[in-house]
């Protein structure tokens, strides 16, 4: 008996699956989605890995990425959907939300704010990455883990632990990463592909964003903003700013780093990163967002400075709570 039994039964008995992850996917989202996709295909299943948009850089190299589909039109007779790294149905994107033939929804995740939207929910909030949950699932079900599957799951764990720097870098995460290396994941090659393959324009954008740095709350909070104008000036895509919020947190004495960016339609997105026990998930949740204790996000109506002030006030309250 394992907590995966029901999900394993769905995987073994079904023939046609969708594997899906959250919109604006990063390393854990894509790695856990594609690792599961390839393992299920190796088990003889027909699997549609679905992302609304194409692969954001630098993840185009992930094994199986080139086989992902970007529309659900013409897809039917689905026995089940496996969702990875996603806390809410709506985060799977509008097209899937409105899709009729979802089948049994198996929710494999590690967000503590997960609302258990699946028919079967396996949410391990202590797992460093959804990739860990997928790995445990594949192990429990006796699925083969090929080099390509291992590469995807290693990327998932490596990126979601901040290259094994966050508190989520448990002995368990290291153990699984070690096993994935034994199964063929190549740490040097993966690091080069993920962290040393940026287009130069990312650094031009970084320069503009870093100029917006402001310190608040006696140096305990640092904020950055990213405007559409900066994207226009540099010609950079917004995904290239992923991770910029970490610079705000990386300052000595800072407990919370914030990045606010314009997201169109009068909406701004706030990314929050904290050190130690400061819980930014609860801040994000109070604005309808979610995430983890040390990394969370939310979307708010308003202009960029207005949203920054709202977030700063909420973060200030959290720091004093
Ligand atoms: Mn994750």
């Amino acid at each position: 008996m394992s907590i995966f039994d029901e999900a394993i039964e769905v995987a073994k008995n079904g023939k046609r699956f969708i594997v899906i992850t959250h919109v604006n996917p990063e390393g854990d989202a894509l790695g856990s989605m594609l690792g599961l996709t390839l393992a299920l295909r190796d088990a003889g299943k027909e699997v549609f890995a679905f992302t609304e948009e194409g692969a954001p850089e630098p993840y185009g190299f992930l094994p199986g990425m080139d086989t992902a589909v970007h529309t659900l039109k013409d897809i039917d007779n689905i026995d089940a959907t496996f969702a990875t790294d996603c806390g809410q149905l709506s985060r799977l994107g509008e097209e899937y939300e409105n899709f009729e033939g979802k089948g049994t929804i198996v929710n494999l995740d590690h967000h503590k704010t997960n609302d258990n939207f699946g028919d079967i929910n396996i949410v391990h909030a202590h797992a460093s990455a959804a990739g860990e949950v997928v790995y445990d699932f594949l192990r429990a079900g006796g699925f083969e883990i090929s080099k390509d599957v291992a590469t995807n799951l290693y990327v998932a764990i490596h990126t979601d632990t901040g290259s094994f720097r966050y508190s989520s870098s448990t002995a368990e995460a290291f153990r699984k990463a070690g096993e994935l290396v034994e199964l063929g994941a190549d740490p040097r090659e993966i690091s080069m592909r993920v962290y040393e393959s940026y287009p130069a324009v990312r650094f031009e954008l970084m320069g503009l964003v870093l100029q917006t740095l402001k310190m608040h709350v006696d140096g305990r909070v640092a904020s950055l903003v990213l405007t559409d104008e900066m994207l226009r000036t540099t010609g950079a895509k917004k995904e290239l700013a992923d991770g910029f919020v970490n610079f705000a947190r990386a300052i000595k004495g800072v407990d919370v780093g914030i990045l606010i960016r314009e997201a169109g339609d009068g909406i701004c997105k706030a990314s929050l990163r904290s050190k130690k026990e400061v819980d930014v998930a609860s801040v994000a949740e109070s604005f309808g967002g979610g995430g983890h204790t040390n990394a969370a996000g939310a979307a708010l109506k308003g202009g960029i400075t207005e949203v920054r002030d709202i977030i700063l006030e909420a973060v200030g309250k959290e720091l004093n709570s």
Side-chain angles (χ1 to χ4, degrees):
M1 268 298 280
S2 95
I3 36 139
F4 292 107
D5 283 354
E6 250 187 302
I8 291 165
E9 209 176 292
V10 169
K12 301 250 157 149
N13 293 340
K15 289 190 176 63
R16 250 164 95 89
F17 304 126
I18 290 171
V19 182
I20 189 169
T21 190
H22 63 78
V23 290
N24 301 318
E26 11 64 343
D28 184 27
L30 294 167
S32 58
M33 176 185 79
L34 293 169
L36 181 59
T37 295
L38 297 181
L40 290 172
R41 282 184 191 155
D42 289 343
K45 311 297 179 180
E46 192 176 358
V47 186
F48 301 95
F50 172 74
T51 58
E52 275 193 359
E53 290 165 55
E57 283 312 318
Y59 298 111
F61 79 95
L62 291 179
M65 195 68 239
D66 54 337
T67 68
V69 296
H70 309 298
T71 175
L72 294 168
K73 260 186 243 140
D74 307 324
I75 293 181
D76 54 10
N77 290 315
I78 290 299
D79 297 312
T81 297
F82 292 83
T84 67
D85 198 36
C86 185
Q88 289 103 24
L89 187 67
S90 61
R91 288 269 292 147
L92 293 172
E94 221 179 302
E95 186 173 358
Y96 181 78
E97 217 183 335
N98 297 323
F99 180 66
E100 297 287 341
K102 297 180 176 72
T104 306
I105 299 178
V106 181
N107 172 9
L108 299 171
D109 188 33
H110 71 129
H111 290 88
K112 69 174 183 180
T113 50
N114 193 299
D115 66 8
N116 292 324
F117 62 86
D119 299 303
I120 299 169
N121 300 288
I122 300 165
V123 180
H124 289 171
H126 58 269
S128 69
E132 267 200 57
V133 183
V134 168
Y135 182 72
D136 288 338
F137 166 76
L138 294 176
R139 282 289 202 201
F143 292 93
E144 197 193 319
I145 298 177
S146 67
K147 177 183 170 157
D148 284 350
V149 173
T151 297
N152 276 302
L153 298 182
Y154 182 91
V155 168
I157 296 172
H158 196 266
T159 55
D160 246 27
T161 55
S163 308
F164 300 104
R165 286 178 297 130
Y166 303 155
S167 58
S168 57
S169 311
T170 59
E172 191 63 26
F174 278 102
R175 250 191 302 277
K176 282 174 189 148
E179 288 170 20
L180 291 165
V181 171
E182 275 171 352
L183 289 162
D186 181 340
R188 175 66 205 132
E189 173 75 13
I190 289 169
S191 288
M192 190 199 64
R193 299 278 205 152
V194 176
Y195 303 108
E196 298 171 356
S197 300
Y198 294 112
V201 75
R202 177 174 193 257
F203 298 93
E204 291 171 33
L205 181 64
M206 190 185 289
L208 296 179
V209 171
L210 291 179
Q211 283 176 41
T212 70
L213 178 71
K214 282 202 166 64
M215 305 299 293
H216 320 267
V217 197
D218 298 326
R220 293 181 69 194
V221 179
S223 71
L224 295 168
V225 302
L226 167 60
T227 63
D228 286 338
E229 178 66 28
M230 294 174 190
L231 296 175
R232 267 195 302 274
T233 316
T234 56
K237 286 194 200 147
K238 65 180 192 310
E239 292 80 22
L240 285 175
D242 285 354
F244 285 6
V245 63
N246 296 317
F247 294 123
R249 176 173 57 182
I251 298 163
K252 188 170 185 178
V254 164
D255 290 321
V256 180
I258 298 167
L259 184 139
I260 315 284
R261 72 171 171 84
E262 290 172 333
D265 297 331
I267 304 279
C268 284
K269 288 193 174 171
S271 298
L272 302 156
R273 296 291 182 274
S274 68
K275 286 177 185 154
K276 299 175 280 187
E277 307 304 316
V278 180
D279 184 9
V280 288
S282 68
V283 174
E285 228 173 343
S286 70
F287 297 107
H292 308 283
T293 304
N294 295 129
L300 285 82
K301 253 201 160 62
I304 202 152
T305 46
E306 185 187 345
V307 168
R308 185 180 61 188
D309 291 346
I310 294 168
I311 291 287
L312 278 171
E313 197 189 324
V315 167
K317 275 190 190 141
E318 181 62 32
L319 285 173
N320 292 320
S321 71

